[in-house]
PDB file of all heavy atoms in Angstrom:
ATOM      1  N   GLY A   1      -4.767 -33.582 -33.846  1.00  0.00           N
ATOM      2  CA  GLY A   1      -3.327 -33.978 -33.937  1.00  0.00           C
ATOM      3  C   GLY A   1      -2.735 -33.914 -32.577  1.00  0.00           C
ATOM      4  O   GLY A   1      -1.806 -34.691 -32.213  1.00  0.00           O
ATOM      5  N   ASP A   2      -3.145 -32.935 -31.718  1.00  0.00           N
ATOM      6  CA  ASP A   2      -2.643 -32.770 -30.406  1.00  0.00           C
ATOM      7  C   ASP A   2      -3.731 -32.441 -29.447  1.00  0.00           C
ATOM      8  O   ASP A   2      -4.406 -31.401 -29.560  1.00  0.00           O
ATOM      9  CB  ASP A   2      -1.620 -31.655 -30.333  1.00  0.00           C
ATOM     10  CG  ASP A   2      -1.021 -31.379 -28.963  1.00  0.00           C
ATOM     11  OD1 ASP A   2      -0.309 -32.186 -28.429  1.00  0.00           O
ATOM     12  OD2 ASP A   2      -1.388 -30.295 -28.469  1.00  0.00           O
ATOM     13  N   ARG A   3      -4.057 -33.375 -28.504  1.00  0.00           N
ATOM     14  CA  ARG A   3      -5.205 -33.267 -27.580  1.00  0.00           C
ATOM     15  C   ARG A   3      -5.042 -32.021 -26.697  1.00  0.00           C
ATOM     16  O   ARG A   3      -6.024 -31.261 -26.402  1.00  0.00           O
ATOM     17  CB  ARG A   3      -5.450 -34.497 -26.800  1.00  0.00           C
ATOM     18  CG  ARG A   3      -5.850 -35.590 -27.602  1.00  0.00           C
ATOM     19  CD  ARG A   3      -6.281 -36.810 -26.765  1.00  0.00           C
ATOM     20  NE  ARG A   3      -6.619 -37.992 -27.618  1.00  0.00           N
ATOM     21  CZ  ARG A   3      -7.870 -38.186 -28.069  1.00  0.00           C
ATOM     22  NH1 ARG A   3      -8.802 -37.350 -27.727  1.00  0.00           N
ATOM     23  NH2 ARG A   3      -8.166 -39.196 -28.784  1.00  0.00           N
ATOM     24  N   GLU A   4      -3.852 -31.709 -26.231  1.00  0.00           N
ATOM     25  CA  GLU A   4      -3.692 -30.606 -25.282  1.00  0.00           C
ATOM     26  C   GLU A   4      -3.996 -29.252 -26.011  1.00  0.00           C
ATOM     27  O   GLU A   4      -4.775 -28.404 -25.433  1.00  0.00           O
ATOM     28  CB  GLU A   4      -2.319 -30.576 -24.812  1.00  0.00           C
ATOM     29  CG  GLU A   4      -1.985 -29.502 -23.706  1.00  0.00           C
ATOM     30  CD  GLU A   4      -0.666 -29.533 -23.174  1.00  0.00           C
ATOM     31  OE1 GLU A   4       0.112 -30.602 -23.260  1.00  0.00           O
ATOM     32  OE2 GLU A   4      -0.203 -28.630 -22.518  1.00  0.00           O
ATOM     33  N   SER A   5      -3.478 -29.028 -27.128  1.00  0.00           N
ATOM     34  CA  SER A   5      -3.763 -27.774 -27.854  1.00  0.00           C
ATOM     35  C   SER A   5      -5.170 -27.736 -28.332  1.00  0.00           C
ATOM     36  O   SER A   5      -5.830 -26.614 -28.430  1.00  0.00           O
ATOM     37  CB  SER A   5      -2.677 -27.558 -29.016  1.00  0.00           C
ATOM     38  OG  SER A   5      -2.882 -28.558 -29.963  1.00  0.00           O
ATOM     39  N   LEU A   6      -5.737 -28.850 -28.713  1.00  0.00           N
ATOM     40  CA  LEU A   6      -7.151 -28.947 -29.057  1.00  0.00           C
ATOM     41  C   LEU A   6      -8.014 -28.378 -27.929  1.00  0.00           C
ATOM     42  O   LEU A   6      -8.877 -27.566 -28.177  1.00  0.00           O
ATOM     43  CB  LEU A   6      -7.610 -30.310 -29.546  1.00  0.00           C
ATOM     44  CG  LEU A   6      -9.145 -30.544 -29.682  1.00  0.00           C
ATOM     45  CD1 LEU A   6      -9.629 -29.692 -30.894  1.00  0.00           C
ATOM     46  CD2 LEU A   6      -9.295 -32.112 -29.930  1.00  0.00           C
ATOM     47  N   GLN A   7      -7.766 -28.893 -26.785  1.00  0.00           N
ATOM     48  CA  GLN A   7      -8.542 -28.499 -25.554  1.00  0.00           C
ATOM     49  C   GLN A   7      -8.412 -27.049 -25.259  1.00  0.00           C
ATOM     50  O   GLN A   7      -9.375 -26.340 -24.916  1.00  0.00           O
ATOM     51  CB  GLN A   7      -8.172 -29.307 -24.403  1.00  0.00           C
ATOM     52  CG  GLN A   7      -9.214 -29.184 -23.135  1.00  0.00           C
ATOM     53  CD  GLN A   7     -10.551 -29.474 -23.551  1.00  0.00           C
ATOM     54  OE1 GLN A   7     -10.841 -30.584 -24.045  1.00  0.00           O
ATOM     55  NE2 GLN A   7     -11.414 -28.546 -23.319  1.00  0.00           N
ATOM     56  N   GLU A   8      -7.182 -26.501 -25.507  1.00  0.00           N
ATOM     57  CA  GLU A   8      -6.918 -25.066 -25.281  1.00  0.00           C
ATOM     58  C   GLU A   8      -7.796 -24.289 -26.270  1.00  0.00           C
ATOM     59  O   GLU A   8      -8.368 -23.188 -25.965  1.00  0.00           O
ATOM     60  CB  GLU A   8      -5.451 -24.808 -25.503  1.00  0.00           C
ATOM     61  CG  GLU A   8      -5.109 -23.349 -25.194  1.00  0.00           C
ATOM     62  CD  GLU A   8      -3.665 -23.039 -25.362  1.00  0.00           C
ATOM     63  OE1 GLU A   8      -2.804 -24.001 -25.530  1.00  0.00           O
ATOM     64  OE2 GLU A   8      -3.288 -21.784 -25.308  1.00  0.00           O
ATOM     65  N   LEU A   9      -7.856 -24.744 -27.563  1.00  0.00           N
ATOM     66  CA  LEU A   9      -8.731 -24.090 -28.604  1.00  0.00           C
ATOM     67  C   LEU A   9     -10.177 -24.135 -28.233  1.00  0.00           C
ATOM     68  O   LEU A   9     -10.901 -23.102 -28.247  1.00  0.00           O
ATOM     69  CB  LEU A   9      -8.411 -24.679 -29.910  1.00  0.00           C
ATOM     70  CG  LEU A   9      -9.253 -24.089 -31.094  1.00  0.00           C
ATOM     71  CD1 LEU A   9      -8.976 -22.605 -31.242  1.00  0.00           C
ATOM     72  CD2 LEU A   9      -9.000 -24.871 -32.294  1.00  0.00           C
ATOM     73  N   LEU A  10     -10.512 -25.271 -27.705  1.00  0.00           N
ATOM     74  CA  LEU A  10     -12.046 -25.427 -27.405  1.00  0.00           C
ATOM     75  C   LEU A  10     -12.355 -24.597 -26.152  1.00  0.00           C
ATOM     76  O   LEU A  10     -13.509 -24.008 -26.080  1.00  0.00           O
ATOM     77  CB  LEU A  10     -12.337 -26.921 -27.142  1.00  0.00           C
ATOM     78  CG  LEU A  10     -12.316 -27.851 -28.287  1.00  0.00           C
ATOM     79  CD1 LEU A  10     -12.507 -29.300 -27.901  1.00  0.00           C
ATOM     80  CD2 LEU A  10     -13.297 -27.465 -29.374  1.00  0.00           C
ATOM     81  N   ASP A  11     -11.491 -24.509 -25.261  1.00  0.00           N
ATOM     82  CA  ASP A  11     -11.635 -23.590 -24.061  1.00  0.00           C
ATOM     83  C   ASP A  11     -11.793 -22.162 -24.525  1.00  0.00           C
ATOM     84  O   ASP A  11     -12.492 -21.399 -23.964  1.00  0.00           O
ATOM     85  CB  ASP A  11     -10.443 -23.791 -23.006  1.00  0.00           C
ATOM     86  CG  ASP A  11     -10.532 -25.169 -22.430  1.00  0.00           C
ATOM     87  OD1 ASP A  11     -11.576 -25.810 -22.418  1.00  0.00           O
ATOM     88  OD2 ASP A  11      -9.482 -25.536 -21.748  1.00  0.00           O
ATOM     89  N   TRP A  12     -10.921 -21.777 -25.502  1.00  0.00           N
ATOM     90  CA  TRP A  12     -10.946 -20.368 -25.999  1.00  0.00           C
ATOM     91  C   TRP A  12     -12.336 -20.138 -26.626  1.00  0.00           C
ATOM     92  O   TRP A  12     -12.979 -19.123 -26.391  1.00  0.00           O
ATOM     93  CB  TRP A  12      -9.813 -20.064 -26.967  1.00  0.00           C
ATOM     94  CG  TRP A  12      -9.948 -18.729 -27.614  1.00  0.00           C
ATOM     95  CD1 TRP A  12      -9.499 -17.604 -27.036  1.00  0.00           C
ATOM     96  CD2 TRP A  12     -10.504 -18.402 -28.890  1.00  0.00           C
ATOM     97  NE1 TRP A  12      -9.764 -16.562 -27.775  1.00  0.00           N
ATOM     98  CE2 TRP A  12     -10.390 -17.004 -28.963  1.00  0.00           C
ATOM     99  CE3 TRP A  12     -11.185 -19.054 -29.798  1.00  0.00           C
ATOM    100  CZ2 TRP A  12     -10.835 -16.229 -30.006  1.00  0.00           C
ATOM    101  CZ3 TRP A  12     -11.653 -18.400 -30.932  1.00  0.00           C
ATOM    102  CH2 TRP A  12     -11.501 -16.972 -31.129  1.00  0.00           C
ATOM    103  N   MET A  13     -12.848 -21.016 -27.462  1.00  0.00           N
ATOM    104  CA  MET A  13     -14.047 -20.849 -28.062  1.00  0.00           C
ATOM    105  C   MET A  13     -15.226 -20.813 -26.990  1.00  0.00           C
ATOM    106  O   MET A  13     -16.108 -19.873 -27.088  1.00  0.00           O
ATOM    107  CB  MET A  13     -14.412 -22.183 -28.974  1.00  0.00           C
ATOM    108  CG  MET A  13     -13.491 -22.308 -30.168  1.00  0.00           C
ATOM    109  SD  MET A  13     -13.822 -21.154 -31.470  1.00  0.00           S
ATOM    110  CE  MET A  13     -15.358 -21.506 -31.969  1.00  0.00           C
ATOM    111  N   GLU A  14     -15.194 -21.556 -26.024  1.00  0.00           N
ATOM    112  CA  GLU A  14     -16.232 -21.557 -24.938  1.00  0.00           C
ATOM    113  C   GLU A  14     -16.169 -20.301 -24.222  1.00  0.00           C
ATOM    114  O   GLU A  14     -17.125 -19.575 -23.842  1.00  0.00           O
ATOM    115  CB  GLU A  14     -16.020 -22.660 -23.949  1.00  0.00           C
ATOM    116  CG  GLU A  14     -17.075 -22.751 -22.974  1.00  0.00           C
ATOM    117  CD  GLU A  14     -16.991 -24.001 -22.035  1.00  0.00           C
ATOM    118  OE1 GLU A  14     -16.047 -24.881 -22.264  1.00  0.00           O
ATOM    119  OE2 GLU A  14     -17.769 -24.136 -21.078  1.00  0.00           O
ATOM    120  N   ALA A  15     -14.931 -19.643 -24.082  1.00  0.00           N
ATOM    121  CA  ALA A  15     -14.766 -18.411 -23.270  1.00  0.00           C
ATOM    122  C   ALA A  15     -15.376 -17.176 -24.069  1.00  0.00           C
ATOM    123  O   ALA A  15     -15.648 -16.105 -23.549  1.00  0.00           O
ATOM    124  CB  ALA A  15     -13.250 -18.151 -22.957  1.00  0.00           C
ATOM    125  N   GLN A  16     -15.559 -17.394 -25.292  1.00  0.00           N
ATOM    126  CA  GLN A  16     -16.106 -16.302 -26.247  1.00  0.00           C
ATOM    127  C   GLN A  16     -17.647 -16.159 -25.949  1.00  0.00           C
ATOM    128  O   GLN A  16     -18.263 -15.253 -26.554  1.00  0.00           O
ATOM    129  CB  GLN A  16     -15.892 -16.505 -27.665  1.00  0.00           C
ATOM    130  CG  GLN A  16     -14.419 -16.731 -27.958  1.00  0.00           C
ATOM    131  CD  GLN A  16     -13.539 -15.658 -27.387  1.00  0.00           C
ATOM    132  OE1 GLN A  16     -13.724 -14.529 -27.682  1.00  0.00           O
ATOM    133  NE2 GLN A  16     -12.573 -16.029 -26.662  1.00  0.00           N
ATOM    134  N   GLN A  17     -18.254 -17.111 -25.203  1.00  0.00           N
ATOM    135  CA  GLN A  17     -19.637 -17.042 -24.821  1.00  0.00           C
ATOM    136  C   GLN A  17     -20.573 -16.930 -26.076  1.00  0.00           C
ATOM    137  O   GLN A  17     -21.498 -16.076 -26.125  1.00  0.00           O
ATOM    138  CB  GLN A  17     -19.935 -15.894 -23.885  1.00  0.00           C
ATOM    139  CG  GLN A  17     -19.066 -16.046 -22.537  1.00  0.00           C
ATOM    140  CD  GLN A  17     -19.362 -14.899 -21.590  1.00  0.00           C
ATOM    141  OE1 GLN A  17     -19.641 -13.769 -22.016  1.00  0.00           O
ATOM    142  NE2 GLN A  17     -19.239 -15.118 -20.256  1.00  0.00           N
ATOM    143  N   GLY A  18     -20.277 -17.751 -27.070  1.00  0.00           N
ATOM    144  CA  GLY A  18     -21.170 -17.829 -28.187  1.00  0.00           C
ATOM    145  C   GLY A  18     -20.842 -16.796 -29.283  1.00  0.00           C
ATOM    146  O   GLY A  18     -21.603 -16.805 -30.270  1.00  0.00           O
ATOM    147  N   GLN A  19     -19.809 -15.948 -29.093  1.00  0.00           N
ATOM    148  CA  GLN A  19     -19.529 -14.917 -30.049  1.00  0.00           C
ATOM    149  C   GLN A  19     -18.817 -15.605 -31.340  1.00  0.00           C
ATOM    150  O   GLN A  19     -18.894 -14.992 -32.336  1.00  0.00           O
ATOM    151  CB  GLN A  19     -18.554 -13.837 -29.436  1.00  0.00           C
ATOM    152  CG  GLN A  19     -19.331 -13.022 -28.477  1.00  0.00           C
ATOM    153  CD  GLN A  19     -20.307 -12.088 -29.188  1.00  0.00           C
ATOM    154  OE1 GLN A  19     -20.015 -11.323 -30.038  1.00  0.00           O
ATOM    155  NE2 GLN A  19     -21.599 -12.128 -28.693  1.00  0.00           N
ATOM    156  N   TRP A  20     -18.304 -16.717 -31.080  1.00  0.00           N
ATOM    157  CA  TRP A  20     -17.555 -17.426 -32.233  1.00  0.00           C
ATOM    158  C   TRP A  20     -18.148 -18.834 -32.347  1.00  0.00           C
ATOM    159  O   TRP A  20     -18.470 -19.445 -31.389  1.00  0.00           O
ATOM    160  CB  TRP A  20     -16.045 -17.520 -31.885  1.00  0.00           C
ATOM    161  CG  TRP A  20     -15.291 -16.304 -32.233  1.00  0.00           C
ATOM    162  CD1 TRP A  20     -15.181 -15.174 -31.533  1.00  0.00           C
ATOM    163  CD2 TRP A  20     -14.579 -16.111 -33.482  1.00  0.00           C
ATOM    164  NE1 TRP A  20     -14.501 -14.218 -32.219  1.00  0.00           N
ATOM    165  CE2 TRP A  20     -14.077 -14.721 -33.402  1.00  0.00           C
ATOM    166  CE3 TRP A  20     -14.260 -16.795 -34.617  1.00  0.00           C
ATOM    167  CZ2 TRP A  20     -13.292 -14.182 -34.432  1.00  0.00           C
ATOM    168  CZ3 TRP A  20     -13.552 -16.349 -35.691  1.00  0.00           C
ATOM    169  CH2 TRP A  20     -13.068 -15.031 -35.580  1.00  0.00           C
ATOM    170  N   MET A  21     -18.321 -19.161 -33.607  1.00  0.00           N
ATOM    171  CA  MET A  21     -18.799 -20.498 -33.898  1.00  0.00           C
ATOM    172  C   MET A  21     -17.827 -21.349 -34.684  1.00  0.00           C
ATOM    173  O   MET A  21     -17.101 -20.810 -35.484  1.00  0.00           O
ATOM    174  CB  MET A  21     -20.120 -20.476 -34.829  1.00  0.00           C
ATOM    175  CG  MET A  21     -20.670 -21.780 -35.252  1.00  0.00           C
ATOM    176  SD  MET A  21     -22.079 -21.663 -36.462  1.00  0.00           S
ATOM    177  CE  MET A  21     -23.335 -20.986 -35.374  1.00  0.00           C
ATOM    178  N   LEU A  22     -17.697 -22.695 -34.332  1.00  0.00           N
ATOM    179  CA  LEU A  22     -16.650 -23.498 -34.897  1.00  0.00           C
ATOM    180  C   LEU A  22     -17.354 -24.340 -36.011  1.00  0.00           C
ATOM    181  O   LEU A  22     -18.349 -24.874 -35.888  1.00  0.00           O
ATOM    182  CB  LEU A  22     -16.015 -24.459 -33.914  1.00  0.00           C
ATOM    183  CG  LEU A  22     -15.067 -25.469 -34.388  1.00  0.00           C
ATOM    184  CD1 LEU A  22     -13.748 -24.814 -34.932  1.00  0.00           C
ATOM    185  CD2 LEU A  22     -14.684 -26.474 -33.338  1.00  0.00           C
ATOM    186  N   GLY A  23     -16.725 -24.270 -37.275  1.00  0.00           N
ATOM    187  CA  GLY A  23     -17.136 -25.056 -38.390  1.00  0.00           C
ATOM    188  C   GLY A  23     -16.047 -25.787 -38.890  1.00  0.00           C
ATOM    189  O   GLY A  23     -14.915 -25.452 -38.598  1.00  0.00           O
ATOM    190  N   VAL A  24     -16.275 -26.839 -39.738  1.00  0.00           N
ATOM    191  CA  VAL A  24     -15.199 -27.627 -40.363  1.00  0.00           C
ATOM    192  C   VAL A  24     -15.347 -27.592 -41.909  1.00  0.00           C
ATOM    193  O   VAL A  24     -16.468 -27.540 -42.363  1.00  0.00           O
ATOM    194  CB  VAL A  24     -15.169 -29.051 -39.857  1.00  0.00           C
ATOM    195  CG1 VAL A  24     -14.859 -29.010 -38.229  1.00  0.00           C
ATOM    196  CG2 VAL A  24     -16.433 -29.810 -40.125  1.00  0.00           C
ATOM    197  N   ALA A  25     -14.164 -27.668 -42.526  1.00  0.00           N
ATOM    198  CA  ALA A  25     -14.075 -27.845 -44.037  1.00  0.00           C
ATOM    199  C   ALA A  25     -13.052 -29.147 -44.164  1.00  0.00           C
ATOM    200  O   ALA A  25     -11.854 -28.859 -43.873  1.00  0.00           O
ATOM    201  CB  ALA A  25     -13.629 -26.722 -44.725  1.00  0.00           C
ATOM    202  N   THR A  26     -13.559 -30.208 -44.570  1.00  0.00           N
ATOM    203  CA  THR A  26     -12.690 -31.356 -44.429  1.00  0.00           C
ATOM    204  C   THR A  26     -12.903 -32.299 -45.706  1.00  0.00           C
ATOM    205  O   THR A  26     -13.841 -32.220 -46.430  1.00  0.00           O
ATOM    206  CB  THR A  26     -13.182 -32.255 -43.243  1.00  0.00           C
ATOM    207  OG1 THR A  26     -12.539 -33.492 -43.152  1.00  0.00           O
ATOM    208  CG2 THR A  26     -14.753 -32.472 -43.161  1.00  0.00           C
ATOM    209  N   GLY A  27     -11.997 -33.261 -45.891  1.00  0.00           N
ATOM    210  CA  GLY A  27     -12.101 -34.179 -46.856  1.00  0.00           C
ATOM    211  C   GLY A  27     -12.881 -35.435 -46.492  1.00  0.00           C
ATOM    212  O   GLY A  27     -13.370 -36.271 -47.284  1.00  0.00           O
ATOM    213  N   ARG A  28     -13.292 -35.505 -45.146  1.00  0.00           N
ATOM    214  CA  ARG A  28     -13.924 -36.601 -44.654  1.00  0.00           C
ATOM    215  C   ARG A  28     -15.488 -36.417 -45.039  1.00  0.00           C
ATOM    216  O   ARG A  28     -16.014 -35.349 -45.178  1.00  0.00           O
ATOM    217  CB  ARG A  28     -13.960 -36.559 -43.142  1.00  0.00           C
ATOM    218  CG  ARG A  28     -12.660 -37.089 -42.547  1.00  0.00           C
ATOM    219  CD  ARG A  28     -12.748 -36.955 -40.959  1.00  0.00           C
ATOM    220  NE  ARG A  28     -11.521 -37.538 -40.334  1.00  0.00           N
ATOM    221  CZ  ARG A  28     -11.479 -38.729 -39.807  1.00  0.00           C
ATOM    222  NH1 ARG A  28     -12.605 -39.345 -39.735  1.00  0.00           N
ATOM    223  NH2 ARG A  28     -10.347 -39.077 -39.206  1.00  0.00           N
ATOM    224  N   ALA A  29     -16.131 -37.695 -45.158  1.00  0.00           N
ATOM    225  CA  ALA A  29     -17.525 -37.703 -45.438  1.00  0.00           C
ATOM    226  C   ALA A  29     -18.240 -37.358 -44.116  1.00  0.00           C
ATOM    227  O   ALA A  29     -17.621 -37.529 -43.049  1.00  0.00           O
ATOM    228  CB  ALA A  29     -17.986 -39.101 -45.979  1.00  0.00           C
ATOM    229  N   PRO A  30     -19.553 -36.911 -44.089  1.00  0.00           N
ATOM    230  CA  PRO A  30     -20.165 -36.526 -42.864  1.00  0.00           C
ATOM    231  C   PRO A  30     -20.098 -37.597 -41.743  1.00  0.00           C
ATOM    232  O   PRO A  30     -19.833 -37.287 -40.626  1.00  0.00           O
ATOM    233  CB  PRO A  30     -21.671 -36.247 -43.279  1.00  0.00           C
ATOM    234  CG  PRO A  30     -21.403 -35.722 -44.795  1.00  0.00           C
ATOM    235  CD  PRO A  30     -20.386 -36.597 -45.280  1.00  0.00           C
ATOM    236  N   ALA A  31     -20.368 -38.822 -42.176  1.00  0.00           N
ATOM    237  CA  ALA A  31     -20.401 -39.924 -41.117  1.00  0.00           C
ATOM    238  C   ALA A  31     -19.040 -40.049 -40.382  1.00  0.00           C
ATOM    239  O   ALA A  31     -18.918 -40.333 -39.236  1.00  0.00           O
ATOM    240  CB  ALA A  31     -20.786 -41.320 -41.745  1.00  0.00           C
ATOM    241  N   LEU A  32     -17.955 -39.827 -41.155  1.00  0.00           N
ATOM    242  CA  LEU A  32     -16.589 -39.912 -40.548  1.00  0.00           C
ATOM    243  C   LEU A  32     -16.292 -38.617 -39.665  1.00  0.00           C
ATOM    244  O   LEU A  32     -15.405 -38.779 -38.813  1.00  0.00           O
ATOM    245  CB  LEU A  32     -15.506 -40.117 -41.678  1.00  0.00           C
ATOM    246  CG  LEU A  32     -15.685 -41.423 -42.534  1.00  0.00           C
ATOM    247  CD1 LEU A  32     -14.648 -41.522 -43.533  1.00  0.00           C
ATOM    248  CD2 LEU A  32     -15.650 -42.589 -41.633  1.00  0.00           C
ATOM    249  N   VAL A  33     -16.895 -37.564 -40.051  1.00  0.00           N
ATOM    250  CA  VAL A  33     -16.842 -36.408 -39.221  1.00  0.00           C
ATOM    251  C   VAL A  33     -17.375 -36.619 -37.804  1.00  0.00           C
ATOM    252  O   VAL A  33     -16.785 -36.349 -36.789  1.00  0.00           O
ATOM    253  CB  VAL A  33     -17.431 -35.153 -39.852  1.00  0.00           C
ATOM    254  CG1 VAL A  33     -17.444 -33.964 -38.874  1.00  0.00           C
ATOM    255  CG2 VAL A  33     -16.771 -34.807 -41.132  1.00  0.00           C
TER     256      VAL A  33
END
């Protein structure tokens, strides 16, 4: 919804050096993910 805050979140995930994993729970079908 907001590219700037998304990138901030992805940067935080990367800074965790693999300690945190990102998963999704969505209404989208896999192909649309």
Side-chain angles (χ1 to χ4, degrees):
D2 176 69
R3 290 188 182 274
E4 184 176 342
S5 60
L6 170 64
Q7 190 57 55
E8 185 180 350
L9 176 62
L10 294 177
D11 289 344
W12 177 81
M13 295 287 297
E14 186 175 356
Q16 304 310 302
Q17 298 180 332
Q19 289 293 303
W20 278 80
M21 178 187 289
L22 178 66
V24 298
T26 175
R28 286 176 175 260
L32 299 180
V33 175

